Amino acid sequence: MPLRGADVAEFTVLVLKIAFLAILWLFILLVAAVINSDMIGSRQRRTDNVDLPPLPDSRKTKRGKKEPWVLAIDSGIHAGDRLQLVPEVRIGRSEACELVLDDDYVSSMHAMLSHREEGGWFLKDLGSTNGTFVNAERIAHPTTVGVNDVIRIGEVQMRLEI
Amino acid sequence: MWRRAQPAQLVLPFRRTGVDMDAEIRGYRQRWIAQLILTILGQGISFVGFILTTLFRTNTMPEKWLAIGGFWFGLGLLLFTASRIAIPYADPIILPLVLTLTGIGLAFLYRYDLTSNQDPMFYTQFLAVAVGVGCLLVIIFLLKDPRRLKGYPFILSALGFVLLLLPLIPGLGSSAYGSRIWISIGGFSFQPAEVAKIVLAAAFAAYLSDKREVLSMAGNRILGLDLPRMRDLGPVMVMWGMSLAIMVFQNDLGTSLLFFGLFVMMIYVATGKGSWVILGLVLFAAGGAAVVKFASHVQRRIDFWLRPFDYPNDATQIIQAQFGFSHGGLLGSGWGMGRPDLIIFAYSDMVAASIGEEIGIVGLMAIVALYGILVFRGLKTSLVTVDPFTKLFAAGLSFAFLLQTFSIIGGVTRLLPLTGLTTPFLSQGGSSMIANWILIALLLVMSHQARRPHAQIGEASAWGITALGEESTQVFSSRELAQIGIGEIHPIQEINAEQVRLTLTGQPMIAGGDDTGVPNEETTEVVPNLDAQFYPNRTRYELAPESLFVPQEPKPAPQIPTSFEDDDDDYFGKGTE
């Protein structure tokens, strides 16, 4: 049997060893808290706070309506991104596209989002394998999209935002 | 003269899969308060264990506890201060975790010395820890860029393989309890696998960051699985052969698993193809089964694992460890109250069992959790890193650490056949301690590089794409270019194999940073073209050879219908019902 200090009662040993285990696990909890704050901390650096350069002149239509010039990505690997649009955005897996979606269901040249000079955006499927969807319907023709439409390409959902 | 190519517009910070988007968007803070608190608490935990030992046994404080405590906390403070200075953005959790594990190992060795009749090992081990910390300090102050290790994949591989096979050399290698994974020179014994895992992780990272495009090409499709091409199987077969050789000749499943698993996992990280993992598992299982069938000594080790109580004279270690765990139970026998003196190699191979006896399964699970978090932080470092070599290297080091810890703790708890690998930071042994501190140092440097805000004006960087600023040369890495907001970026104007000429117009803005002072006009610079080909998705002006020499084709004009009213949605076939 191990030696035992005569003065240390068995009860004290029990309490102390439980206390040791408690601080060990407390340490792990604290580490978890630090990890958590590491992940969700410092939110100040969102891309949407970055000043974007001036938009093209056609931002407002003739009737003075504000137009969407931002594409918000809601799901998929780029979820949370808000992208400043250019008048003509090819979407696909190819590097030649303006918006590169690294998604297995996206064709290399999948779709094109274009701005018309008169205002408004239209979306055109460029012969993709898995189709381009607006509000869950596969589009067959170039389709006008506005802020209320949900665009889905592969597993990536996106919306226009003002 | 070079031709002016079509301007391309960078729409967004393009990102790739596998890149931590949080980091790219938000950036990381320095977390020195968290690190300080965790360091003190982690060190305190092991110090409490150290004190509890003698308190429980003899109701006294340990001999020289003030001096030992002073050195111990001094070491932690030194590490903290040095890491604040050299690598302020590095992960704040890694060092406290390592200190906690090291401290628990030291406290256990102190406790082991009290009841053993061998030479005391505590002070030697403390010295090894100090040397390990010294190595870490040298690395974090001198190695600013881990990519320096990239240039020598073949030298590193050769070195790694030689290290792995060293224990087989007669007269140099020595075998202990069935495994032949040690070498001894002049009274010092040393486990080459400890160093080999770092060297090989670097070698694999260098090789794979170069070849990953090729390796991810699909070959035949069998049973719904895209197998790699036959011609790409060479390296994996070499590793397979090596790992089987280790299994047969060194008789150590853990080492074998460590190196083959490391390679397969790194291929997976490099290519993102699960078929490599399945292929690796099948190969390892088939090879292992064959080896077990034909090599009787390997078969014996398996028997010791599955039925240790049938071999009371041979599987002693495993049996003792089981009795130890059983004696410790849930809460453990208490520091100093177990019987590690009954376990053979209680201080090295079986350290997890001995500690598990004294702090119980609750404590051992905490230690496993500490290892798990450490590996997680290593993989996180890999995730936030952009450079492919560093990314693979960090992942490789983390996997090596994971597989080693899994092998040995799995062996001790009889989840796997027992292996002779050391338990990182807990086992007695200088080479293991130093090698693992070096591993941590490398991870910390990579973590600092990955988490620090980029684009510090004037800072020299040997890679990336450079644009000339108004007064000083502004150095951008690919990450910064990805973070530059909107602006026109012209495709490469002129290129040779070594250099890139990049023209940047517009006002680059570094995410979260201030105006960089680059004027809104064209700037041109010739820069080294080292890594740029690895970032095909990142920027449109990328450097794949075919796009380099040919100016990019002008985009086809969009076919915009010529006549429609502003709100005439019907034209596009949208609501024609």
Side-chain angles (χ1 to χ4, degrees), chain B residues 227-293:
Chain B
L227 291 178
R229 298 184 306 178
M230 290 305 283
R231 72 183 92 155
D232 298 329
L233 291 180
V236 80
M237 296 314 273
V238 169
M239 277 314 293
W240 182 60
M242 284 288 292
S243 66
L244 290 186
I246 291 170
M247 213 190 293
V248 174
F249 297 111
Q250 305 191 352
N251 194 12
D252 198 274
L253 186 90
T255 315
S256 178
L257 183 72
L258 168 57
F259 289 98
F260 190 62
L262 172 65
F263 187 68
V264 170
M265 290 315 291
M266 286 181 72
I267 287 201
Y268 174 63
V269 173
T271 62
K273 289 188 90 72
S275 55
W276 280 107
V277 177
I278 294 170
L279 186 78
L281 284 175
V282 169
L283 279 178
F284 194 76
V291 163
V292 168
K293 198 164 169 59

Side-chain angles (χ1 to χ4, degrees), chain B residues 183-239:
Chain B
I183 56 172
S184 52
I185 308 167
F188 286 99
S189 57
F190 164 67
Q191 209 173 70
E194 293 291 345
V195 181
K197 73 183 179 203
I198 301 176
V199 173
L200 282 179
F204 295 161
Y207 171 76
L208 291 171
S209 61
D210 225 27
K211 292 276 190 277
R212 61 197 198 116
E213 306 286 331
V214 178
L215 290 173
S216 54
M217 282 182 191
N220 293 329
R221 191 178 173 85
I222 295 171
L223 298 174
L225 193 68
D226 285 320
L227 291 178
R229 298 184 306 178
M230 290 305 283
R231 72 183 92 155
D232 298 329
L233 291 180
V236 80
M237 296 314 273
V238 169
M239 277 314 293

Side-chain angles (χ1 to χ4, degrees), chain B residues 519-563:
Chain B
N520 192 4
E521 59 186 48
E522 273 195 10
T523 48
T524 306
E525 179 62 299
V526 176
V527 295
N529 168 24
L530 296 180
D531 287 311
Q533 71 268 26
F534 295 124
Y535 299 98
N537 290 353
R538 206 154 261 284
T539 40
R540 291 216 22 219
Y541 46 86
E542 274 297 354
L543 311 178
E546 54 275 17
S547 70
L548 293 183
F549 298 99
V550 186
Q552 293 201 347
E553 291 291 314
K555 286 177 274 182
Q559 293 168 357
I560 302 175
T562 44
S563 65

Side-chain angles (χ1 to χ4, degrees), chain B residues 136 139 194 197-198 396-398 400-401 404 425 433-444 446:
Chain B
L136 180 134
I139 289 175
E194 293 291 345
K197 73 183 179 203
I198 301 176
L397 290 178
S398 311
F401 193 86
Q404 179 179 357
F425 303 114
M433 184 60 81
I434 294 166
N436 283 308
W437 276 98
I438 291 174
L439 186 155
I440 293 299
L442 291 170
L443 271 183
L444 285 173
M446 291 188 257

Side-chain angles (χ1 to χ4, degrees), chain A residues 5 7 17 25 37-39 45 51 63 77 81 83-84 88 90 95 98 102 116 118 142 144, chain B residues 11-12 14-15 17 21 25-26 31 57 59 93 332 362 377 451 509 536 555 558 564 566-567 572:
Chain A
D7 298 326
K17 82 185 182 192
W25 279 101
S37 65
D38 202 39
M39 280 177 167
R45 294 179 177 179
D51 291 334
R63 297 177 196 175
I77 54 163
D81 276 355
L83 318 173
Q84 176 77 66
E88 190 186 296
R90 284 172 300 173
E95 296 152 30
E98 279 78 13
D102 210 354
R116 339 174 207 161
E118 295 80 357
T144 303
Chain B
V11 182
L12 74 156
F14 290 110
R15 303 201 181 88
T17 6
M21 281 186 269
I25 300 167
R26 296 172 191 162
R31 303 291 305 273
R57 292 179 64 86
N59 201 12
I93 296 161
V362 173
R377 295 315 286 179
R451 292 163 59 107
M509 282 166 294
K555 286 177 274 182
F564 46 73
D566 200 24
D567 290 326
F572 299 102

